[in-house]
Amino acid sequence: MTFPEEELPDVAEAAHEVVQEAKDAGVWVFGGGLKGHEVSVVATDGTVTDGPYLESKEHLGGFAVVDVPSREEALEWAAKIAVACRCTQEVRELLPDPTV
């Protein structure tokens, strides 16, 4: 996030407004912030290790899931979130639930 800490209330308000807009549009599924940057990896044998430790100054701070018909619309929502949160958004597509 690239803003002074004293601007956090304004950023939070803008983010909540975008979430409400997505809810009103019927595309909001779920979202939330992530607590800290601590990561644990559980291997297929059940072994737990700390990490991975990325050589980057960027960290995943939260996520939002929207249900939209196209990647283009997902990118439009990501742009709205990026502006509100003042941080870059990464867009990925979830695979459909095969049981539905």
Side-chain angles (χ1 to χ4, degrees), residues 1 16 19 23 27-28 32 41 46 48 53 55 61 71 86 91:
M1 302 177 104
H16 287 116
V19 169
K23 287 178 178 180
V27 300
W28 183 259
V41 176
V48 179
Y53 298 103
E55 293 183 18
R71 181 168 185 80
R86 301 184 198 176
V91 177

Side-chain angles (χ1 to χ4, degrees), residues 1-4 8 11-12 15 57-59 61 84-89:
M1 302 177 104
T2 56
F3 57 85
L8 183 57
V11 172
K57 293 182 180 180
E58 296 180 358
H59 299 280
C85 295
R86 301 184 198 176
C87 57
T88 303
Q89 301 297 300

Side-chain angles (χ1 to χ4, degrees), residues 17-28 66 77:
E17 288 174 1
V18 172
V19 169
Q20 189 59 54
E21 181 183 352
K23 287 178 178 180
D24 293 345
V27 300
W28 183 259
V66 294
W77 282 105

